[in-house]
Amino acid sequence: MVFEHVDLKKEFMKKMFLLFLGIGMLIASCSKDDEPNEIVSVTLNSEVNEFIWKGMNYWYFWQADQPDLADTRFKTTDDFNKYLNSYSSSEDLFNDLVFQPDVVDDFSWYISDVDEQLNSFRGITTSYGIGFPRNLIKPNPDSDDIVIFIAYVVPNSPAANAGLKRGDIISKVDGVAMNTDNASIINKVFSEESISLGLANIVNGQVEHINGEFNMTSATITSNPIQHFEVIEEGGKKIGYLVYNGFRNTFNGELNDVFDFFKAQNINELVLDLRYNGGGSVLTSALLASMIKGSIPANSSAFARLQYNSKRDEERGTTFPFLNENYIYDKTTSDFTGNEALSRLQSISRLYVLTAKGTASASEMIINGLTPYMPVILVGETTVGKNEGSITVVDSPGNYTNLDNRNPKHTVGMQPIVFQVYNSKDESDYTAGFAPDILVKESEFVADIKPFGDPNEALLRTALNDMLGLSAKKFSLNPDTNIQAIDKEVKLPKFSYEMYLDN
């Protein structure tokens, strides 16, 4: 099924999941209504557990592969209730229903507070406003010292107000120097209400701690995913450069403004920096693809197709086309507020994408979805490899997606994987990630991380060299190959790698 233009305006954008309301599948094996003469002797202890099971049975992509989610799993309501009562924790139940975690499904997660989760999708978080690369760094193979550099800082955040900036090297947390044994202390950045961070320089492979620390208290901030954009003029070309850190539909208008600027500047090349972009809204991914590849008429070609589980036949083959209209959402509520003309580039024949180990989901959807239509050149490191997406499942009537009619007795929800994404050539085989065309490890430049847009910043410079046919020898790119990005990874919040449908 391809969405027509009018559907996108009247149904898809405003109440997307109205497409699903007629599906209503009763769970015959456990519903009391299906067994009118059954005598129920086992009382259900937790309606949250019932919601968890039924929501997963209805939506989960691997429902057919998980025996405990089978429609025929329970012969009677008593059997069903006994099973649910065996779990004192609804989170434990959810985790046991995930199919082969860390092998097949390592992206579904349990939500303890739905409103907090929805705010995070809007870019609203309680944090310090620091963005990190995916890995910690060991500057010297003969030392146990561990550091991490700041990838970006959110404007007007506690980190920005403290004076921290991209390229600063963190070596201490709450006065403790990081090493190979305690490196996990960096994750306090994501869990503690207050923190102190100490910085260092890397000189000849050695960590030299800087006196003094940055003391911060977390605050509620709204993060614009558009971190940086500009037009670079070099070699007779006008090159648009955009650092984009998340596909958030509440910032669709700001994204459109960037492409208005690029069009006004008559750019003829584009570098899309997705190094720190873990994904987000499928719709926003389709809009960005439409902005980049403006020569494709709206609704004439598929950008992406979503494949659901076998029980959701009506949703199978749902196609996101290239679009001419932008869709605007309230930054606080995510309510649809109106349309505007989409700014679409007509002058771009290829796309350069800067990638890292944290490039995932909706970012990879851009790569996969545009590849059939134009050369997409990747510079950086292999991406995450997430070709599946989710929805926010809540305890509401119908299909468990009505955010405005949730059970008021609890705040629990789920973010299960419910679809796999394909491009117009039915290609979706990138679970090992997209390997770069040109390998550049940003960690090897940790001693001198350049600001975004600096023409000598390692990944940008490499892309420009390839674009302009220049020799790398002309520029002072000197990686330190002794530096190691170690396996102990930064434990980013679960929603950091996501591709989801907007409820």
Side-chain angles (χ1 to χ4, degrees), residues 17 59-62 105 107-109 121 280-282 305-309 361-362 364-365 385-393 415-422 428 430 497-502:
F17 285 92
W59 277 116
Y60 192 44
F61 185 71
W62 292 283
D105 180 8
F107 292 109
S108 294
W109 75 83
F121 288 158
S281 166
V282 170
R305 180 178 64 83
L306 310 187
Q307 177 72 57
Y308 296 76
N309 71 33
S361 297
E364 294 170 304
M365 186 179 180
K386 184 175 183 293
N387 63 349
E388 309 120 357
S390 68
I391 57 170
T392 304
V393 177
Q415 200 73 29
I417 296 297
V418 301
F419 66 85
Q420 185 172 340
V421 64
Y422 294 78
S428 183
Y430 55 90
Y497 297 145
E498 191 47 70
M499 174 166 57
Y500 56 83
L501 293 173
D502 305 305

Side-chain angles (χ1 to χ4, degrees), residues 7-50:
D7 292 328
L8 284 165
K9 288 183 65 177
K10 295 181 178 179
E11 297 182 15
F12 177 57
M13 296 295 98
K14 296 180 181 180
K15 294 182 179 179
M16 183 174 180
F17 285 92
L18 286 178
L19 295 171
F20 307 146
L21 287 178
I23 300 169
M25 179 174 288
L26 296 176
I27 304 173
S29 61
C30 64
S31 172
K32 297 176 183 178
D33 294 335
D34 294 328
E35 300 287 350
N37 298 319
E38 181 185 3
I39 298 174
V40 179
S41 59
V42 178
T43 301
L44 180 66
N45 293 336
S46 171
E47 61 183 326
V48 178
N49 284 1
E50 182 179 31

Side-chain angles (χ1 to χ4, degrees), residues 20 165 207 252 306:
F20 307 146
K165 63 185 184 304
V207 176
N252 287 349
L306 310 187

